Amino acid sequence: MAFTWSKTIYMGLDPIFLTELSISIIIFSTIASSKKSRVSKIKTADNEIFEVEEAVATMSNTIKIMAGDCSGGVIPLNNVHSTIFARVIEWCKKHVDDGEDLEYYKGALKNCDATFFEVDQAVLYHLLTTANSLDIKPLLHQGCQRFVDMINGKTVEEIRQLLHIKNDFTNEEEDETRKKLWSSVVGMNSFILL
Amino acid sequence: MGDFSSSNDLPKDLMMEILLNLPVKSLLRFKSVCKSWYALINSNKFITMHLDRSRRNNKESILIKRFNSESSQSKASLSMISHNDSSCSGVDVYLGILGNSSVYDLELSANCDGIIFYSNYSQGYSVLCNLATRETILVPDTSSGNDSSYLYSVAFGYDLKNHRYKAVRITKSRRDNDRRTSMVRMSYNVEVYTLGTYSWRQVNNGKLNSLNSRQISAPHGSFYFNGAIHWKGFPERPDSNDIVIIVFNLSDEEFDIIPLPDDVKPFMHFLVWDRSFAVSHVTHRNHSLLDIFAMKEYGVKESWTKVFAIEIGHFIFVRPLAVWKNNEIVFEIMDDKDRINFQLVTYNLKRQEFKKLQILGPLLFKAYVYMESLVPIKSRGESIA
């Protein structure tokens, strides 16, 4: 804080009073500047810098903790890409005032957030893993719900294709599992006696 | 753009979180996706968490026992109405050999961890079945019992201390004539079957027989909650209002009494309300009001609290079953206008109105609350914690 002392003010005033006055001016101006909305600076893995309102950014518990450690500097997110981060921030901006009630978010998924999650499965993965690593519970909750709706009711082969999972059962093992599933379905007819 | 790689990159706890929200039917199928999914879905930890998750999300279904439409006799059939089934057409439940039971004889205990204990009162056999995974075992007949005894009540629940599922049978038989009062005294015989063992065990029923000559309400009167079986206990004198709850603790296998709140009348039902043991009853003074009292601290008489009261209008019989989707309560009722058949209605807490569930097919005889689970019946040597 730079201030110029006018000669006319300075002259004739008690030095102790002046010191006290200058200290209170410094304190006052510090308080005043913190009441302005603070901006968090976040750097993603691909070196892009995002300036985000603190209230929005700290919806992520991870960022909240890191901000405490960085004290005003740039927060580095080493495993989040800028495209995904941009989406996450877009979601956070929308929900900054919505609180912690996860039930509310379940309903919101059906209404205002439905289109947000109409992305392909790869993007959904990244949204989920990012929400997980950034510890944004409501976003994670919604993402999981979307994922659940996506895979519920699908066949085994469809799941493998959708999630790129390799079938590591041998043919015999797969037959066994299928047999077990079927025998229990028809098993009501033949109770297993002890 | 980043590298959109395979699901192996989705953290294990995240994948588990997603799977925990799936219904049993999908999970059984997904066991075949790959070895790690097979191991996960079969694990005791997952099964317990899945059950807990369903409880927290009120994913209860209603099982309805009704007459078999194709049978001219009073044979029973069973249907299930799922918590998210808006059409309420119900799904038929295959009863197998129990399909020969009459509607009056077939007893179900269905509110313990997705396992149903079916009993046939006149035939005497029982079946344990996880309805969702279809695992079934036949429960052996009891070996005891003389000719003058008959099956009086059956129940099923979970022993919390020893981590075992147990079934309970109570048979009634004549005792000697009481010379003082010249009344024929009935005595109860109690047996327990522990899942994993293969026979019924006699338990000490001395206390039950001496509980101030109380009659336990049966058949179809047992209610499992939190490690114990509950029955209504009526006093011997029919004009007395001193009704209590008779409890059989599955861990120490002892009987005890839990007092009811003072202003609860005989015509009442047990239910679970917000994870507490509760009773519902219709007040005498005002026949059209239903109250629900919950025991906030289990076993403590002073902790009975009225938690709910609604106008029930022209319903002459009202029994709460389950709370659905956090805003609706399902009731089994009998309407004044139709005094023959039971019906299912939902009460919407927000809108404060009743709505009938139009169930297709034969009419309802009795309703039960059921929640699906992955809990195995055939023990794998590990207990479900």
Side-chain angles (χ1 to χ4, degrees), chain A residues 119-162:
Chain A
V119 292
D120 72 29
Q121 152 255 337
V123 176
L124 186 59
Y125 267 136
H126 284 257
L127 277 173
L128 274 178
T129 47
T130 307
N132 194 32
S133 64
L134 291 182
D135 192 9
I136 308 172
K137 285 197 171 54
L139 175 59
L140 187 61
H141 184 79
Q142 278 194 337
C144 285
Q145 276 299 123
R146 170 82 183 108
F147 209 90
V148 166
D149 293 338
M150 226 171 58
I151 65 172
N152 193 17
K154 288 217 157 35
T155 67
V156 170
E157 198 44 57
E158 283 170 342
I159 294 283
R160 288 190 190 133
Q161 281 176 18
L162 188 69

mmCIF file of all heavy atoms in Angstrom, chain A residues 119-162:
data_model
loop_
_atom_site.group_PDB
_atom_site.id
_atom_site.type_symbol
_atom_site.label_atom_id
_atom_site.label_comp_id
_atom_site.label_asym_id
_atom_site.label_seq_id
_atom_site.Cartn_x
_atom_site.Cartn_y
_atom_site.Cartn_z
ATOM 1 N N VAL A 119 -23.088 -37.692 -22.734
ATOM 2 C CA VAL A 119 -21.792 -37.688 -23.397
ATOM 3 C C VAL A 119 -21.437 -39.136 -23.684
ATOM 4 O O VAL A 119 -22.068 -40.040 -23.147
ATOM 5 C CB VAL A 119 -20.712 -37.077 -22.478
ATOM 6 C CG1 VAL A 119 -20.969 -35.611 -22.285
ATOM 7 C CG2 VAL A 119 -20.689 -37.790 -21.138
ATOM 8 N N ASP A 120 -20.419 -39.316 -24.496
ATOM 9 C CA ASP A 120 -20.073 -40.710 -24.758
ATOM 10 C C ASP A 120 -19.335 -41.295 -23.559
ATOM 11 O O ASP A 120 -18.876 -40.587 -22.662
ATOM 12 C CB ASP A 120 -19.305 -40.892 -26.067
ATOM 13 C CG ASP A 120 -17.889 -40.373 -26.000
ATOM 14 O OD1 ASP A 120 -17.278 -40.367 -24.909
ATOM 15 O OD2 ASP A 120 -17.379 -39.959 -27.055
ATOM 16 N N GLN A 121 -19.251 -42.590 -23.560
ATOM 17 C CA GLN A 121 -18.818 -43.309 -22.379
ATOM 18 C C GLN A 121 -17.399 -42.942 -21.972
ATOM 19 O O GLN A 121 -17.074 -42.901 -20.784
ATOM 20 C CB GLN A 121 -19.024 -44.803 -22.641
ATOM 21 C CG GLN A 121 -18.123 -45.729 -21.926
ATOM 22 C CD GLN A 121 -17.097 -46.281 -22.897
ATOM 23 O OE1 GLN A 121 -17.321 -46.310 -24.101
ATOM 24 N NE2 GLN A 121 -15.975 -46.649 -22.371
ATOM 25 N N ALA A 122 -16.561 -42.593 -22.936
ATOM 26 C CA ALA A 122 -15.176 -42.226 -22.598
ATOM 27 C C ALA A 122 -15.135 -40.929 -21.799
ATOM 28 O O ALA A 122 -14.425 -40.812 -20.798
ATOM 29 C CB ALA A 122 -14.361 -42.080 -23.873
ATOM 30 N N VAL A 123 -15.936 -39.964 -22.249
ATOM 31 C CA VAL A 123 -15.984 -38.686 -21.532
ATOM 32 C C VAL A 123 -16.551 -38.892 -20.133
ATOM 33 O O VAL A 123 -16.087 -38.304 -19.161
ATOM 34 C CB VAL A 123 -16.824 -37.647 -22.318
ATOM 35 C CG1 VAL A 123 -16.965 -36.354 -21.531
ATOM 36 C CG2 VAL A 123 -16.203 -37.386 -23.682
ATOM 37 N N LEU A 124 -17.564 -39.773 -20.064
ATOM 38 C CA LEU A 124 -18.178 -40.054 -18.756
ATOM 39 C C LEU A 124 -17.147 -40.636 -17.785
ATOM 40 O O LEU A 124 -17.096 -40.264 -16.623
ATOM 41 C CB LEU A 124 -19.351 -41.012 -18.929
ATOM 42 C CG LEU A 124 -20.190 -41.287 -17.674
ATOM 43 C CD1 LEU A 124 -20.778 -40.005 -17.115
ATOM 44 C CD2 LEU A 124 -21.308 -42.268 -17.980
ATOM 45 N N TYR A 125 -16.307 -41.537 -18.298
ATOM 46 C CA TYR A 125 -15.214 -42.080 -17.490
ATOM 47 C C TYR A 125 -14.373 -40.978 -16.882
ATOM 48 O O TYR A 125 -14.062 -40.963 -15.713
ATOM 49 C CB TYR A 125 -14.245 -42.862 -18.370
ATOM 50 C CG TYR A 125 -14.525 -44.302 -18.471
ATOM 51 C CD1 TYR A 125 -14.471 -44.947 -19.691
ATOM 52 C CD2 TYR A 125 -14.829 -45.037 -17.346
ATOM 53 C CE1 TYR A 125 -14.747 -46.272 -19.801
ATOM 54 C CE2 TYR A 125 -15.107 -46.375 -17.446
ATOM 55 C CZ TYR A 125 -15.064 -46.982 -18.670
ATOM 56 O OH TYR A 125 -15.352 -48.305 -18.789
ATOM 57 N N HIS A 126 -13.970 -40.063 -17.770
ATOM 58 C CA HIS A 126 -13.068 -39.003 -17.320
ATOM 59 C C HIS A 126 -13.754 -38.078 -16.338
ATOM 60 O O HIS A 126 -13.141 -37.612 -15.385
ATOM 61 C CB HIS A 126 -12.499 -38.257 -18.526
ATOM 62 C CG HIS A 126 -11.427 -39.032 -19.213
ATOM 63 N ND1 HIS A 126 -10.097 -38.754 -19.065
ATOM 64 C CD2 HIS A 126 -11.496 -40.123 -20.004
ATOM 65 C CE1 HIS A 126 -9.381 -39.624 -19.758
ATOM 66 N NE2 HIS A 126 -10.205 -40.469 -20.333
ATOM 67 N N LEU A 127 -15.042 -37.834 -16.566
ATOM 68 C CA LEU A 127 -15.789 -37.007 -15.615
ATOM 69 C C LEU A 127 -15.812 -37.685 -14.249
ATOM 70 O O LEU A 127 -15.614 -37.047 -13.214
ATOM 71 C CB LEU A 127 -17.224 -36.794 -16.102
ATOM 72 C CG LEU A 127 -17.455 -35.667 -17.115
ATOM 73 C CD1 LEU A 127 -18.888 -35.707 -17.602
ATOM 74 C CD2 LEU A 127 -17.143 -34.319 -16.497
ATOM 75 N N LEU A 128 -16.016 -38.991 -14.277
ATOM 76 C CA LEU A 128 -16.103 -39.743 -13.027
ATOM 77 C C LEU A 128 -14.766 -39.765 -12.295
ATOM 78 O O LEU A 128 -14.693 -39.499 -11.100
ATOM 79 C CB LEU A 128 -16.537 -41.177 -13.300
ATOM 80 C CG LEU A 128 -18.044 -41.424 -13.371
ATOM 81 C CD1 LEU A 128 -18.312 -42.877 -13.684
ATOM 82 C CD2 LEU A 128 -18.688 -41.060 -12.048
ATOM 83 N N THR A 129 -13.712 -40.116 -13.027
ATOM 84 C CA THR A 129 -12.401 -40.209 -12.364
ATOM 85 C C THR A 129 -11.954 -38.845 -11.870
ATOM 86 O O THR A 129 -11.370 -38.722 -10.793
ATOM 87 C CB THR A 129 -11.327 -40.804 -13.296
ATOM 88 O OG1 THR A 129 -11.410 -40.151 -14.555
ATOM 89 C CG2 THR A 129 -11.543 -42.294 -13.486
ATOM 90 N N THR A 130 -12.280 -37.797 -12.626
ATOM 91 C CA THR A 130 -11.908 -36.448 -12.203
ATOM 92 C C THR A 130 -12.718 -36.044 -10.968
ATOM 93 O O THR A 130 -12.166 -35.505 -10.008
ATOM 94 C CB THR A 130 -12.135 -35.435 -13.342
ATOM 95 O OG1 THR A 130 -11.475 -35.905 -14.505
ATOM 96 C CG2 THR A 130 -11.610 -34.061 -12.969
ATOM 97 N N ALA A 131 -14.020 -36.311 -10.999
ATOM 98 C CA ALA A 131 -14.849 -35.984 -9.837
ATOM 99 C C ALA A 131 -14.349 -36.740 -8.608
ATOM 100 O O ALA A 131 -14.408 -36.242 -7.485
ATOM 101 C CB ALA A 131 -16.305 -36.318 -10.119
ATOM 102 N N ASN A 132 -13.860 -37.957 -8.838
ATOM 103 C CA ASN A 132 -13.333 -38.771 -7.750
ATOM 104 C C ASN A 132 -12.038 -38.193 -7.206
ATOM 105 O O ASN A 132 -11.878 -38.005 -6.005
ATOM 106 C CB ASN A 132 -13.109 -40.202 -8.244
ATOM 107 C CG ASN A 132 -12.900 -41.169 -7.098
ATOM 108 O OD1 ASN A 132 -13.446 -40.994 -6.014
ATOM 109 N ND2 ASN A 132 -12.087 -42.180 -7.328
ATOM 110 N N SER A 133 -11.098 -37.864 -8.109
ATOM 111 C CA SER A 133 -9.804 -37.365 -7.635
ATOM 112 C C SER A 133 -9.919 -35.954 -7.081
ATOM 113 O O SER A 133 -9.193 -35.573 -6.175
ATOM 114 C CB SER A 133 -8.753 -37.439 -8.742
ATOM 115 O OG SER A 133 -9.105 -36.587 -9.803
ATOM 116 N N LEU A 134 -10.856 -35.169 -7.612
ATOM 117 C CA LEU A 134 -11.043 -33.822 -7.074
ATOM 118 C C LEU A 134 -12.000 -33.817 -5.885
ATOM 119 O O LEU A 134 -12.230 -32.783 -5.279
ATOM 120 C CB LEU A 134 -11.589 -32.876 -8.162
ATOM 121 C CG LEU A 134 -10.646 -32.522 -9.304
ATOM 122 C CD1 LEU A 134 -11.301 -31.546 -10.265
ATOM 123 C CD2 LEU A 134 -9.347 -31.919 -8.761
ATOM 124 N N ASP A 135 -12.557 -34.991 -5.580
ATOM 125 C CA ASP A 135 -13.457 -35.137 -4.433
ATOM 126 C C ASP A 135 -14.618 -34.138 -4.481
ATOM 127 O O ASP A 135 -14.774 -33.291 -3.581
ATOM 128 C CB ASP A 135 -12.665 -35.001 -3.120
ATOM 129 C CG ASP A 135 -13.478 -35.436 -1.917
ATOM 130 O OD1 ASP A 135 -14.586 -35.999 -2.116
ATOM 131 O OD2 ASP A 135 -13.054 -35.199 -0.775
ATOM 132 N N ILE A 136 -15.392 -34.219 -5.579
ATOM 133 C CA ILE A 136 -16.610 -33.402 -5.669
ATOM 134 C C ILE A 136 -17.769 -34.394 -5.558
ATOM 135 O O ILE A 136 -18.226 -34.974 -6.549
ATOM 136 C CB ILE A 136 -16.698 -32.642 -7.012
ATOM 137 C CG1 ILE A 136 -15.399 -31.862 -7.269
ATOM 138 C CG2 ILE A 136 -17.890 -31.696 -7.017
ATOM 139 C CD1 ILE A 136 -15.319 -31.250 -8.655
ATOM 140 N N LYS A 137 -18.273 -34.568 -4.326
ATOM 141 C CA LYS A 137 -19.229 -35.652 -4.079
ATOM 142 C C LYS A 137 -20.508 -35.600 -4.919
ATOM 143 O O LYS A 137 -20.929 -36.602 -5.465
ATOM 144 C CB LYS A 137 -19.570 -35.744 -2.594
ATOM 145 C CG LYS A 137 -18.449 -36.372 -1.789
ATOM 146 C CD LYS A 137 -18.911 -36.840 -0.420
ATOM 147 C CE LYS A 137 -17.852 -37.660 0.288
ATOM 148 N NZ LYS A 137 -16.534 -37.006 0.408
ATOM 149 N N PRO A 138 -21.173 -34.459 -5.021
ATOM 150 C CA PRO A 138 -22.429 -34.462 -5.785
ATOM 151 C C PRO A 138 -22.225 -34.812 -7.257
ATOM 152 O O PRO A 138 -23.034 -35.522 -7.850
ATOM 153 C CB PRO A 138 -22.947 -33.031 -5.635
ATOM 154 C CG PRO A 138 -22.240 -32.471 -4.447
ATOM 155 C CD PRO A 138 -20.913 -33.131 -4.423
ATOM 156 N N LEU A 139 -21.138 -34.314 -7.846
ATOM 157 C CA LEU A 139 -20.867 -34.627 -9.251
ATOM 158 C C LEU A 139 -20.571 -36.099 -9.411
ATOM 159 O O LEU A 139 -21.048 -36.755 -10.349
ATOM 160 C CB LEU A 139 -19.692 -33.785 -9.756
ATOM 161 C CG LEU A 139 -19.212 -34.076 -11.182
ATOM 162 C CD1 LEU A 139 -20.330 -33.857 -12.188
ATOM 163 C CD2 LEU A 139 -18.008 -33.222 -11.543
ATOM 164 N N LEU A 140 -19.821 -36.658 -8.472
ATOM 165 C CA LEU A 140 -19.501 -38.078 -8.494
ATOM 166 C C LEU A 140 -20.779 -38.906 -8.385
ATOM 167 O O LEU A 140 -20.991 -39.876 -9.108
ATOM 168 C CB LEU A 140 -18.562 -38.403 -7.331
ATOM 169 C CG LEU A 140 -17.989 -39.811 -7.293
ATOM 170 C CD1 LEU A 140 -17.160 -40.063 -8.531
ATOM 171 C CD2 LEU A 140 -17.138 -40.008 -6.052
ATOM 172 N N HIS A 141 -21.649 -38.480 -7.476
ATOM 173 C CA HIS A 141 -22.919 -39.177 -7.271
ATOM 174 C C HIS A 141 -23.736 -39.212 -8.554
ATOM 175 O O HIS A 141 -24.264 -40.241 -8.964
ATOM 176 C CB HIS A 141 -23.670 -38.450 -6.155
ATOM 177 C CG HIS A 141 -24.941 -39.092 -5.748
ATOM 178 N ND1 HIS A 141 -24.988 -40.191 -4.908
ATOM 179 C CD2 HIS A 141 -26.223 -38.804 -6.051
ATOM 180 C CE1 HIS A 141 -26.239 -40.543 -4.724
ATOM 181 N NE2 HIS A 141 -27.016 -39.722 -5.399
ATOM 182 N N GLN A 142 -23.834 -38.062 -9.207
ATOM 183 C CA GLN A 142 -24.608 -37.986 -10.451
ATOM 184 C C GLN A 142 -23.982 -38.819 -11.557
ATOM 185 O O GLN A 142 -24.670 -39.497 -12.306
ATOM 186 C CB GLN A 142 -24.708 -36.532 -10.927
ATOM 187 C CG GLN A 142 -25.801 -35.759 -10.236
ATOM 188 C CD GLN A 142 -26.105 -34.463 -10.959
ATOM 189 O OE1 GLN A 142 -25.268 -33.934 -11.688
ATOM 190 N NE2 GLN A 142 -27.293 -33.953 -10.766
ATOM 191 N N GLY A 143 -22.658 -38.719 -11.650
ATOM 192 C CA GLY A 143 -21.954 -39.469 -12.686
ATOM 193 C C GLY A 143 -22.166 -40.966 -12.519
ATOM 194 O O GLY A 143 -22.419 -41.687 -13.477
ATOM 195 N N CYS A 144 -22.084 -41.426 -11.267
ATOM 196 C CA CYS A 144 -22.312 -42.851 -10.987
ATOM 197 C C CYS A 144 -23.734 -43.248 -11.355
ATOM 198 O O CYS A 144 -23.960 -44.313 -11.928
ATOM 199 C CB CYS A 144 -22.056 -43.149 -9.515
ATOM 200 S SG CYS A 144 -20.313 -43.185 -9.107
ATOM 201 N N GLN A 145 -24.687 -42.422 -10.999
ATOM 202 C CA GLN A 145 -26.085 -42.699 -11.344
ATOM 203 C C GLN A 145 -26.255 -42.862 -12.844
ATOM 204 O O GLN A 145 -26.924 -43.770 -13.325
ATOM 205 C CB GLN A 145 -26.988 -41.545 -10.888
ATOM 206 C CG GLN A 145 -27.417 -41.622 -9.459
ATOM 207 C CD GLN A 145 -28.225 -42.874 -9.196
ATOM 208 O OE1 GLN A 145 -27.884 -43.680 -8.354
ATOM 209 N NE2 GLN A 145 -29.292 -43.056 -9.939
ATOM 210 N N ARG A 146 -25.637 -41.961 -13.596
ATOM 211 C CA ARG A 146 -25.718 -42.001 -15.050
ATOM 212 C C ARG A 146 -25.112 -43.304 -15.565
ATOM 213 O O ARG A 146 -25.654 -43.968 -16.443
ATOM 214 C CB ARG A 146 -24.984 -40.787 -15.622
ATOM 215 C CG ARG A 146 -24.775 -40.817 -17.104
ATOM 216 C CD ARG A 146 -26.007 -40.348 -17.880
ATOM 217 N NE ARG A 146 -25.759 -40.476 -19.306
ATOM 218 C CZ ARG A 146 -26.329 -41.393 -20.082
ATOM 219 N NH1 ARG A 146 -27.192 -42.245 -19.576
ATOM 220 N NH2 ARG A 146 -26.047 -41.452 -21.367
ATOM 221 N N PHE A 147 -23.983 -43.653 -14.960
ATOM 222 C CA PHE A 147 -23.290 -44.868 -15.345
ATOM 223 C C PHE A 147 -24.145 -46.096 -15.053
ATOM 224 O O PHE A 147 -24.241 -47.019 -15.873
ATOM 225 C CB PHE A 147 -21.972 -44.956 -14.570
ATOM 226 C CG PHE A 147 -20.911 -45.693 -15.290
ATOM 227 C CD1 PHE A 147 -20.048 -45.035 -16.139
ATOM 228 C CD2 PHE A 147 -20.772 -47.059 -15.136
ATOM 229 C CE1 PHE A 147 -19.063 -45.709 -16.826
ATOM 230 C CE2 PHE A 147 -19.780 -47.746 -15.812
ATOM 231 C CZ PHE A 147 -18.927 -47.065 -16.655
ATOM 232 N N VAL A 148 -24.760 -46.094 -13.884
ATOM 233 C CA VAL A 148 -25.639 -47.201 -13.495
ATOM 234 C C VAL A 148 -26.764 -47.360 -14.517
ATOM 235 O O VAL A 148 -27.054 -48.459 -14.989
ATOM 236 C CB VAL A 148 -26.229 -46.953 -12.086
ATOM 237 C CG1 VAL A 148 -27.383 -47.889 -11.801
ATOM 238 C CG2 VAL A 148 -25.168 -47.111 -11.030
ATOM 239 N N ASP A 149 -27.395 -46.230 -14.877
ATOM 240 C CA ASP A 149 -28.484 -46.304 -15.854
ATOM 241 C C ASP A 149 -27.993 -46.844 -17.182
ATOM 242 O O ASP A 149 -28.720 -47.523 -17.888
ATOM 243 C CB ASP A 149 -29.089 -44.904 -16.066
ATOM 244 C CG ASP A 149 -29.788 -44.392 -14.830
ATOM 245 O OD1 ASP A 149 -30.173 -45.238 -14.001
ATOM 246 O OD2 ASP A 149 -29.935 -43.174 -14.672
ATOM 247 N N MET A 150 -26.747 -46.500 -17.502
ATOM 248 C CA MET A 150 -26.191 -46.917 -18.782
ATOM 249 C C MET A 150 -25.971 -48.423 -18.834
ATOM 250 O O MET A 150 -26.194 -49.053 -19.855
ATOM 251 C CB MET A 150 -24.841 -46.218 -18.981
ATOM 252 C CG MET A 150 -24.672 -45.620 -20.344
ATOM 253 S SD MET A 150 -23.202 -44.599 -20.448
ATOM 254 C CE MET A 150 -21.911 -45.707 -20.003
ATOM 255 N N ILE A 151 -25.465 -49.009 -17.754
ATOM 256 C CA ILE A 151 -25.112 -50.428 -17.830
ATOM 257 C C ILE A 151 -26.201 -51.376 -17.329
ATOM 258 O O ILE A 151 -26.159 -52.567 -17.611
ATOM 259 C CB ILE A 151 -23.786 -50.745 -17.100
ATOM 260 C CG1 ILE A 151 -23.907 -50.502 -15.593
ATOM 261 C CG2 ILE A 151 -22.651 -49.975 -17.701
ATOM 262 C CD1 ILE A 151 -22.669 -50.989 -14.856
ATOM 263 N N ASN A 152 -27.176 -50.843 -16.611
ATOM 264 C CA ASN A 152 -28.227 -51.723 -16.081
ATOM 265 C C ASN A 152 -28.981 -52.391 -17.221
ATOM 266 O O ASN A 152 -29.361 -51.764 -18.184
ATOM 267 C CB ASN A 152 -29.194 -50.910 -15.220
ATOM 268 C CG ASN A 152 -30.110 -51.808 -14.407
ATOM 269 O OD1 ASN A 152 -29.844 -52.998 -14.232
ATOM 270 N ND2 ASN A 152 -31.171 -51.246 -13.894
ATOM 271 N N GLY A 153 -29.186 -53.678 -17.111
ATOM 272 C CA GLY A 153 -29.984 -54.351 -18.121
ATOM 273 C C GLY A 153 -29.215 -54.780 -19.354
ATOM 274 O O GLY A 153 -29.775 -55.459 -20.213
ATOM 275 N N LYS A 154 -27.947 -54.413 -19.459
ATOM 276 C CA LYS A 154 -27.192 -54.809 -20.639
ATOM 277 C C LYS A 154 -26.755 -56.262 -20.515
ATOM 278 O O LYS A 154 -26.641 -56.800 -19.426
ATOM 279 C CB LYS A 154 -25.958 -53.907 -20.795
ATOM 280 C CG LYS A 154 -26.298 -52.495 -21.238
ATOM 281 C CD LYS A 154 -25.235 -51.968 -22.189
ATOM 282 C CE LYS A 154 -25.706 -50.848 -23.088
ATOM 283 N NZ LYS A 154 -26.634 -49.909 -22.579
ATOM 284 N N THR A 155 -26.496 -56.881 -21.676
ATOM 285 C CA THR A 155 -26.009 -58.259 -21.639
ATOM 286 C C THR A 155 -24.518 -58.247 -21.295
ATOM 287 O O THR A 155 -23.859 -57.214 -21.360
ATOM 288 C CB THR A 155 -26.170 -58.957 -22.992
ATOM 289 O OG1 THR A 155 -25.293 -58.326 -23.944
ATOM 290 C CG2 THR A 155 -27.606 -58.892 -23.469
ATOM 291 N N VAL A 156 -24.017 -59.421 -20.983
ATOM 292 C CA VAL A 156 -22.616 -59.560 -20.605
ATOM 293 C C VAL A 156 -21.700 -59.096 -21.731
ATOM 294 O O VAL A 156 -20.730 -58.368 -21.519
ATOM 295 C CB VAL A 156 -22.329 -61.028 -20.225
ATOM 296 C CG1 VAL A 156 -20.842 -61.256 -20.062
ATOM 297 C CG2 VAL A 156 -23.056 -61.378 -18.949
ATOM 298 N N GLU A 157 -22.029 -59.468 -22.949
ATOM 299 C CA GLU A 157 -21.183 -59.102 -24.086
ATOM 300 C C GLU A 157 -21.224 -57.594 -24.334
ATOM 301 O O GLU A 157 -20.206 -56.970 -24.631
ATOM 302 C CB GLU A 157 -21.639 -59.887 -25.338
ATOM 303 C CG GLU A 157 -20.610 -59.945 -26.440
ATOM 304 C CD GLU A 157 -19.207 -60.235 -25.950
ATOM 305 O OE1 GLU A 157 -18.989 -61.281 -25.291
ATOM 306 O OE2 GLU A 157 -18.310 -59.396 -26.201
ATOM 307 N N GLU A 158 -22.419 -57.013 -24.173
ATOM 308 C CA GLU A 158 -22.548 -55.569 -24.352
ATOM 309 C C GLU A 158 -21.707 -54.827 -23.320
ATOM 310 O O GLU A 158 -21.074 -53.811 -23.627
ATOM 311 C CB GLU A 158 -24.026 -55.148 -24.219
ATOM 312 C CG GLU A 158 -24.864 -55.449 -25.453
ATOM 313 C CD GLU A 158 -26.361 -55.241 -25.205
ATOM 314 O OE1 GLU A 158 -26.777 -55.200 -24.025
ATOM 315 O OE2 GLU A 158 -27.091 -55.119 -26.190
ATOM 316 N N ILE A 159 -21.691 -55.335 -22.094
ATOM 317 C CA ILE A 159 -20.887 -54.702 -21.039
ATOM 318 C C ILE A 159 -19.413 -54.766 -21.403
ATOM 319 O O ILE A 159 -18.685 -53.775 -21.276
ATOM 320 C CB ILE A 159 -21.107 -55.414 -19.684
ATOM 321 C CG1 ILE A 159 -22.538 -55.203 -19.217
ATOM 322 C CG2 ILE A 159 -20.123 -54.951 -18.646
ATOM 323 C CD1 ILE A 159 -22.809 -53.850 -18.650
ATOM 324 N N ARG A 160 -18.977 -55.943 -21.866
ATOM 325 C CA ARG A 160 -17.563 -56.098 -22.211
ATOM 326 C C ARG A 160 -17.170 -55.113 -23.293
ATOM 327 O O ARG A 160 -16.122 -54.493 -23.241
ATOM 328 C CB ARG A 160 -17.290 -57.524 -22.677
ATOM 329 C CG ARG A 160 -17.318 -58.548 -21.564
ATOM 330 C CD ARG A 160 -16.803 -59.860 -22.070
ATOM 331 N NE ARG A 160 -17.025 -60.927 -21.131
ATOM 332 C CZ ARG A 160 -17.530 -62.117 -21.445
ATOM 333 N NH1 ARG A 160 -17.889 -62.359 -22.702
ATOM 334 N NH2 ARG A 160 -17.670 -63.060 -20.540
ATOM 335 N N GLN A 161 -18.037 -54.953 -24.281
ATOM 336 C CA GLN A 161 -17.714 -54.045 -25.389
ATOM 337 C C GLN A 161 -17.729 -52.607 -24.923
ATOM 338 O O GLN A 161 -16.839 -51.831 -25.235
ATOM 339 C CB GLN A 161 -18.732 -54.223 -26.515
ATOM 340 C CG GLN A 161 -18.459 -55.431 -27.370
ATOM 341 C CD GLN A 161 -19.530 -55.638 -28.416
ATOM 342 O OE1 GLN A 161 -20.292 -54.725 -28.724
ATOM 343 N NE2 GLN A 161 -19.586 -56.832 -28.961
ATOM 344 N N LEU A 162 -18.741 -52.269 -24.133
ATOM 345 C CA LEU A 162 -18.896 -50.887 -23.676
ATOM 346 C C LEU A 162 -17.721 -50.454 -22.800
ATOM 347 O O LEU A 162 -17.219 -49.342 -22.920
ATOM 348 C CB LEU A 162 -20.208 -50.775 -22.887
ATOM 349 C CG LEU A 162 -20.653 -49.379 -22.484
ATOM 350 C CD1 LEU A 162 -21.067 -48.605 -23.710
ATOM 351 C CD2 LEU A 162 -21.803 -49.460 -21.514
#
